[in-house]
Amino acid sequence: ILDGPYESMLDALRHGAADVLVGALRDAAPDDVVQEHLFDDPLALVARAGHPLAALSRRTRTPPVRELAAAAWIAPHRGSPLRRHFDALLASVDARPPAAAVECNSLVAARALLLASDHLMLSSVRQVQHEIATGQLVALPHPAGRVVRRIGLTRRADWRPTVVQTELLDGLRSGVRGPDRTHGREDVNAAG
């Protein structure tokens, strides 16, 4: 299992150091790869449980636009699908990209910063589900309603998986689309 920015993972895929990528799909995939959609991943605004917007959101349901425009943000890596959603979120609240935003591609570092400050982050709820379940972080509703990122498999177009690799891919597919899953239709739990 490898982890890293899409560009380095794509390079590993192209050179045979990785067999398949699992993650956010690109709108325009390179010609030498094939993407397979697995599920839609709901996005939310994530903050520490004691963040001032968490209390406001319990009363108003959606964080007030003015507060979102003035918030300190942890911004996703430029060029990523999540960054496109982040930029659209800022545009929807009439905010320019904040000069003081922390651009972070490390989920571990972003979690630590969220827990220790009043920063906000646009994130997959799944990626912080443990911290939400333990009450450390809260998922505030996205002002645009249900916003998702497409998650799936990316492989080389000419890749021929072995029997074991095929079983792994089939296991991933059935795990996502199994009987106890709603195929990407999970609800985002609001603060409170």
Side-chain angles (χ1 to χ4, degrees), residues 85-118:
H85 288 291
F86 175 74
D87 291 341
L89 167 66
L90 291 183
S92 75
V93 298
D94 288 331
R96 287 176 295 204
V102 175
E103 190 169 308
C104 183
N105 196 41
S106 166
L107 189 55
V108 172
R111 281 184 191 131
L113 187 56
L114 283 171
L115 291 169
S117 72
D118 280 341

Side-chain angles (χ1 to χ4, degrees), residues 94-162:
D94 288 331
R96 287 176 295 204
V102 175
E103 190 169 308
C104 183
N105 196 41
S106 166
L107 189 55
V108 172
R111 281 184 191 131
L113 187 56
L114 283 171
L115 291 169
S117 72
D118 280 341
H119 279 78
L120 294 175
M121 179 174 76
L122 179 64
S123 176
S124 158
V125 176
R126 285 188 173 112
Q127 289 183 313
V128 291
Q129 68 186 9
H130 173 75
E131 290 81 1
I132 290 171
T134 59
Q136 299 171 74
L137 297 177
V138 293
L140 309 174
H142 194 292
R146 188 173 195 281
V147 176
V148 299
R149 209 174 38 153
R150 296 178 66 237
I151 303 295
L153 305 171
T154 302
R155 61 177 176 79
R156 290 186 315 275
D158 62 354
W159 184 57
R160 301 294 173 249
T162 66

